[in-house]
Amino acid sequence: MRKKIVAGNWKMNKTPAEAVELVNMLKDGCEAAKCDVVFCVPFIDLVPVCEALKGYKNIAVGAQNMHFEDNGAYTGEISAPMLKEIGVKYVILGHSERREYFGETDKLINKKMKHALRRGLIPIVCVGESLEMKEEGITHDHISIQIKRAFKGIDIDDAKKVIIAYEPIWAIGTGRTASAYQAEEVCAGIRAIISDIYDDETAEEIRIQYGGSMNAENCTELMAMPDIDGGLIGGASLKADFNLITGSVKE
Ligand code: PEP
């Protein structure tokens, strides 16, 4: 039985003081939720958010990106050991905004995946098709390539730790959500891809989130789908609604 996991992706929002205020508003509700909860916050908010969550067992903190080396001449970057030392457990990798605005490739994402796992961080790896791909009917092919490249060289034990977030690009921040059936179909397809690469047991264990305009109104239906193991939430993670989403998880 997979435990559901709901992660908030705050993107480039909230100063450190605002971040602590938001976490203090949300943390008791998230602590009581029946799913794992992760706050993926901007780098500068990580330390105060980890502090604000001391003693909270159900909530973990995640970064939104990470470099693939431990240290070196990489101006402006943050490494896995830096994140680990302050108590970060998860890292979002390959978000479509990083692919689009920062030129992140499947190859780079694979390097980051391997490094995160080597250093004990859990990747939340994002995959998803554009509107054009959806209309062309190549969603499954595209996601299959993204997953095969992201998991290249990752052994079966590490693969089981990874969270996959299915995020159709056309649904991110647009208010357009995939219907529960559309999202379920793709998430079930992702499980089949994992089974092909590894085996059925790994496919059964790995957790797959849906992300893309998930909110307090549509979360119950999406979360009820058998292959959707939680959500990666952007806009709705910045307000009290986030607790309605974590609270919608029944088991
Ligand atoms: C995201 O950025 O991962 C996301 C799903 O955003 P939103 O919920 O705002 O569509």
Side-chain angles (χ1 to χ4, degrees):
M1 188 71 188
R2 298 179 296 271
K3 187 171 184 194
K4 290 203 194 308
I5 177 164
V6 175
N9 174 17
W10 291 13
K11 313 194 188 199
M12 195 177 70
N13 291 294
K14 303 294 175 191
T15 66
E18 290 168 346
V20 170
E21 198 182 325
L22 180 58
V23 166
N24 285 339
M25 176 177 89
L26 295 173
K27 64 187 180 185
D28 288 334
C30 292
E31 187 69 358
K34 295 202 168 71
C35 54
D36 292 331
V37 179
V38 188
F39 292 134
C40 299
V41 306
F43 285 134
I44 197 164
D45 298 339
L46 289 170
V47 169
V49 166
C50 285
E51 278 293 313
L53 289 173
K54 280 230 166 86
Y56 283 73
K57 303 260 173 295
N58 198 47
I59 313 168
V61 177
Q64 299 171 13
N65 181 32
M66 179 209 84
H67 197 268
F68 58 82
E69 294 284 356
D70 280 343
N71 46 52
Y74 300 104
T75 303
E77 290 291 311
I78 296 283
S79 73
M82 294 171 189
L83 297 173
K84 283 285 290 181
E85 188 175 306
I86 60 167
V88 170
K89 296 227 165 67
Y90 292 83
V91 59
I92 298 175
L93 296 177
H95 191 280
S96 60
E97 287 154 13
R98 293 215 58 88
R99 293 179 193 255
E100 183 179 348
Y101 305 133
F102 302 97
E104 294 206 1
T105 60
D106 289 332
K107 197 168 171 189
L108 179 70
I109 292 155
N110 175 249
K111 270 175 138 174
K112 292 185 178 191
M113 287 267 287
K114 285 182 183 155
H115 195 68
L117 289 161
R118 211 178 290 133
R119 293 291 173 255
L121 288 167
I122 301 174
I124 299 176
V125 63
C126 302
V127 296
E129 80 287 6
S130 64
L131 185 58
E132 202 183 350
M133 291 170 186
K134 175 176 143 65
E135 283 168 355
E136 255 184 88
I138 58 168
T139 297
H140 185 82
D141 297 339
H142 176 69
I143 288 173
S144 173
I145 290 170
Q146 285 185 316
I147 290 182
K148 283 179 183 150
R149 289 182 177 162
F151 282 82
K152 192 170 172 198
I154 291 174
D155 71 35
I156 199 163
D157 293 329
D158 274 344
K160 288 177 183 168
K161 298 174 194 156
V162 175
I163 314 292
I164 300 174
Y166 166 52
E167 298 212 307
I169 298 169
W170 49 269
I172 297 179
T174 57
R176 237 185 112 177
T177 322
S179 74
Y181 291 100
Q182 275 173 330
E184 166 61 19
E185 192 184 359
V186 179
C187 290
I190 290 174
R191 217 174 284 291
I193 295 163
I194 293 295
S195 171
D196 280 351
I197 305 174
Y198 297 99
D199 57 21
D200 285 352
E201 192 196 314
T202 309
E204 271 309 304
E205 259 183 59
I206 205 160
R207 293 189 285 180
I208 304 171
Q209 298 172 317
Y210 168 77
S213 298
M214 198 192 271
N215 58 37
E217 281 78 53
N218 58 31
C219 61
T220 306
E221 208 189 347
L222 285 157
M223 297 286 192
M225 290 291 149
D227 287 293
I228 299 179
D229 305 317
L232 181 56
I233 323 293
S237 69
L238 296 167
K239 43 190 183 179
D241 282 32
F242 189 63
N243 275 351
L244 298 174
I245 300 174
T246 58
S248 75
V249 176
K250 299 288 176 269
E251 60 200 25

